[in-house]
Amino acid sequence: FAILSVDYALERPMKPDRSQSSLRIKAQEDFTYFTKVYTIGVKHVDECEWAGVICHNVTGVATELRFGNSFLAGSIGPEIRLLKELKILDLGQNMLRGRIPEELYDLVKLEELYLYQNQFTGTLSPRMNNWWNMTRFHASHNALTGSLAEALSAFKSGADVIRPIEYLNLYSNQLTGTIPRSLRFRMLTYLDLGRNQLNGTLPDDLGDTFVELRHLFLDHNQLSGTVPYSYMTVGNGRLESLSLDHNKLTGWVPDNYEYLNKMNQINLQGNLFEGIGKKICKMSVFEEGELVELTTDCGICDCYQLCASSCGEIVL
């Protein structure tokens, strides 16, 4: 019975402060904590009755584990491989540490994986290639290291099959190297690689191959070179958020404005740009577009109504 592996794969939850003052101040929060957390890992209770566990109504095998924000500590053990039918695994906002075990990459039916806001270390394995059903992968706010290019190159779409990945968030880790070309994430709507240690130039095919992209965040890295023209019309002109701030980008920001453009936020400050194209001003809600936020360094923006309040503002 595969769900039994949870008893060993995750260490027991840590007990919170049970002082009288804590009870008085956070009574409602404590009620939620007890009803959820203290049904995890309880002996003599059917695992399918644990809060956060969803089992198949016929086979009784676990298909979803939703243990986010459950005060779980320790690491993910190799027994996680026994959960072969798992489609959703949510371990976000806990105190888990250590490497992402190789056995997790054996769960080929995974569709959603949430590991964000923990203390995971080590690299992302090229065995991400096994996750052909993955639609949402969120591992932000950890201490993951290694080459982003090696991991994502293994995860890219195949020659004849497009991966169904829609949401990819690796914000605030310690990933290095370049952003690879030819990923062909044609269903991706949200990509956040901000606050890492990425370098090199922006991949010039991203604007052409990420046809469903709506939110792109590459801020707070060490990216250099110019911004490809295709970035302003990425997602078939339906990109809504673009953050390239706090890098080492140079040249002019393209202004190939399109009437289909739905951009409402552009962050460019903290780079080495010479200027931005004047047509970007037409993307403003004051003109022909939907742009309400444009942050740049002083001296390169002529869109007074958009830039006046944010010129020189530094976001750390």
Side-chain angles (χ1 to χ4, degrees), residues 9-29:
L10 301 174
E11 295 184 8
R12 290 289 189 272
M14 298 175 62
K15 292 184 178 180
D17 179 10
R18 307 311 308 156
S19 65
Q20 290 300 313
S21 59
S22 175
L23 285 172
R24 286 193 300 269
I25 295 172
K26 299 189 293 182
Q28 182 61 46
E29 180 180 330

Side-chain angles (χ1 to χ4, degrees), residues 134-136 163-168 187-191:
M134 189 72 72
T135 62
R136 301 178 68 85
R163 285 191 184 272
I165 186 74
E166 299 174 359
Y167 180 97
L168 179 59
M187 301 180 67
L188 194 70
T189 62
Y190 187 105
L191 176 61

Side-chain angles (χ1 to χ4, degrees), residues 97-146:
R97 61 183 184 275
R99 301 176 66 89
I100 298 174
E102 287 293 311
E103 291 78 7
L104 187 58
Y105 302 102
D106 292 332
L107 304 184
V108 297
K109 295 186 178 181
L110 269 181
E111 298 175 4
E112 300 181 21
L113 177 58
Y114 304 98
L115 303 177
Y116 63 97
Q117 291 185 28
N118 279 286
Q119 301 167 30
F120 289 115
T121 56
T123 61
L124 292 171
S125 172
R127 294 185 65 204
M128 290 174 64
N129 181 58
N130 291 339
W131 290 338
W132 275 103
N133 294 299
M134 189 72 72
T135 62
R136 301 178 68 85
F137 179 37
H138 190 175
S140 72
H141 297 88
N142 282 288
L144 299 173
T145 57

Side-chain angles (χ1 to χ4, degrees), residues 25 43 86 91 94 96 110 129 216 239 242 255 259 270-271:
I25 295 172
K43 296 293 186 180
L86 207 60
L91 301 176
N94 283 293
L96 298 171
L110 269 181
N129 181 58
L216 175 60
L239 191 68
L242 175 64
D255 63 351
Y259 288 104
N271 281 287

Side-chain angles (χ1 to χ4, degrees), residues 64 74 79 81 98 139 151 174 210 218 240 286 305 307:
E64 300 181 23
E79 293 82 2
R81 70 182 183 278
Q174 300 171 26
F210 286 36
L218 303 177
E240 299 175 15
F286 304 109
Q305 289 174 298
C307 302

Side-chain angles (χ1 to χ4, degrees), residues 59-79:
T59 64
V61 174
T63 57
E64 300 181 23
L65 298 185
R66 297 182 180 272
F67 293 162
N69 195 23
S70 295
F71 295 87
L72 295 174
S75 59
I76 304 175
E79 293 82 2

Side-chain angles (χ1 to χ4, degrees), residues 207-263:
D208 299 321
T209 59
F210 286 36
V211 295
E212 296 295 330
L213 198 62
R214 299 293 178 268
H215 306 278
L216 175 60
F217 303 96
L218 303 177
D219 55 284
H220 292 87
N221 281 289
Q222 302 170 29
L223 300 169
S224 57
T226 59
V227 179
Y229 266 75
S230 61
Y231 276 50
M232 301 308 292
T233 54
V234 69
N236 286 325
R238 295 193 294 264
L239 191 68
E240 299 175 15
S241 304
L242 175 64
S243 290
L244 301 175
D245 54 286
H246 297 92
N247 280 287
K248 299 178 181 179
L249 298 170
T250 57
W252 282 77
V253 179
D255 63 351
N256 48 324
Y257 168 74
E258 299 287 346
Y259 288 104
L260 293 177
N261 208 307
K262 301 297 182 181
M263 197 89 71

